Amino acid sequence: MNGAIALDRIRIVLSRTSHPGNIGAAARAMKTMGLGRLWLVRPASFPDPVAEARASGAGDLLASARVVGSLEEALEGTILSAAVTARRRERSVPVRNAREAAPELVSFAGRGEVALVFGNETSGLTNEEVGLCSMPVTIPANPAFSSLNLGAAVQLLCYELRMAALDPVSPAEPLPDLAAFEEVEGFHRHLERAMTASGFYDPANPKRLLQRVRRLFGRIRLEKEEVNILRGIISALERKAE
């Protein structure tokens, strides 16, 4: 696939950005690397003249930015999403660094929509937000001083995506037909309803069951046919219990 087409299928998602200047800086970083699709989840202030000033010529990306109320909305239609995080998280799926992740994201952009998700400047992404994404990605910064501002982090990841798109690596095996985000979420809701009805899951005392189940299936990246099979099994068990 043409590199420009692959980059055009990658959306950059900024979640709960607190300073409008960082939105402008991110837009500028994106445009310099050939990415043009910006999604904003509940920004503190947008549109904002500070964002326009920091965009420095990338105001068209701000004008076309999609503003949504939840990360779920921002991920609709994607088949693969990467959560950029600096924190080590318990029971997480395997973490890739930016250079490892970029070729994979570009490859899957040839099959469908892909997203790269950045969190709030102070607190980053929540565990729930990371759980909605297909894989965590980190920037291997100096461990003694790993602080990066949002614009710099977006610039680094967009650079790696551009390099991967300019020199694509053919996958050793055909890429799987991954289920879309909403198909996977529909499965998780179905499974939760079935577990609750059976008494296996108690919403009043949830502990970490749903997080563990989500990570279990997240490690294998469900394909469309697998989602259909799993939902068919659940439906059959539900009918048997009636």
Side-chain angles (χ1 to χ4, degrees):
M1 167 177 278
N2 179 282
I5 295 175
L7 293 177
D8 194 49
R9 289 184 177 177
I10 301 174
R11 59 183 75 165
I12 300 298
V13 180
L14 307 184
S15 181
R16 301 171 291 107
T17 309
S18 60
H19 195 289
N22 288 325
I23 296 175
R28 180 180 183 181
M30 291 169 59
K31 190 167 184 177
T32 61
M33 293 297 134
L35 287 95
R37 302 177 62 203
L38 177 61
W39 290 62
L40 305 173
V41 179
R42 301 198 315 275
S45 179
F46 187 84
D48 191 287
V50 176
E52 290 282 350
R54 290 288 301 278
S56 189
D60 54 326
L61 269 67
L62 298 181
S64 63
R66 296 280 302 273
V67 181
V68 295
S70 68
L71 183 55
E72 288 91 340
E73 290 179 76
L75 294 179
E76 284 183 7
T78 62
I79 60 170
L80 188 69
S81 55
V84 181
T85 178
R87 287 184 286 148
R88 296 181 61 86
R89 298 169 191 264
E90 186 181 3
R91 294 177 300 279
S92 178
V93 298
V95 179
R96 291 170 173 78
N97 67 44
R99 187 154 296 178
E100 294 168 338
E104 188 171 7
L105 291 166
V106 168
S107 292
F108 276 100
R111 301 292 298 271
E113 295 283 315
V114 169
L116 192 59
V117 183
F118 298 81
N120 173 268
E121 298 96 323
T122 303
S123 57
L125 293 168
T126 66
N127 288 333
E128 290 73 21
E129 287 175 320
V130 173
L132 291 172
C133 297
S134 311
M135 62 178 178
V137 173
T138 188
I139 296 171
N142 176 8
F145 188 73
S146 59
S147 177
L148 276 173
N149 65 42
L150 181 57
V154 173
Q155 185 77 76
L156 283 168
L157 265 298
C158 288
Y159 169 78
E160 293 294 348
L161 290 171
R162 181 169 184 79
M163 294 304 293
L166 290 175
D167 187 21
V169 177
S170 299
E173 298 179 1
L175 294 175
D177 187 17
L178 295 181
F181 171 79
E182 53 268 32
E183 294 171 328
V184 175
E185 290 304 300
F187 159 68
H188 281 293
R189 289 192 296 270
H190 192 177
L191 180 59
E192 181 180 349
R193 289 195 303 270
M195 291 193 299
T196 301
S198 70
F200 182 78
Y201 172 66
D202 180 7
N205 186 28
K207 297 184 179 179
R208 294 182 175 177
L209 177 61
L210 295 183
Q211 288 183 20
R212 292 174 186 269
V213 168
R214 184 176 286 276
R215 284 168 177 158
L216 185 157
F217 287 106
R219 278 193 290 270
I220 61 175
R221 288 198 196 156
L222 291 169
E223 300 177 19
K224 284 182 177 291
E225 186 175 353
E226 293 168 341
V227 167
N228 292 334
I229 291 170
L230 288 168
R231 295 199 68 172
I233 292 171
I234 295 170
S235 296
L237 293 173
E238 288 174 326
R239 290 192 296 270
K240 187 73 172 178
E242 292 176 352

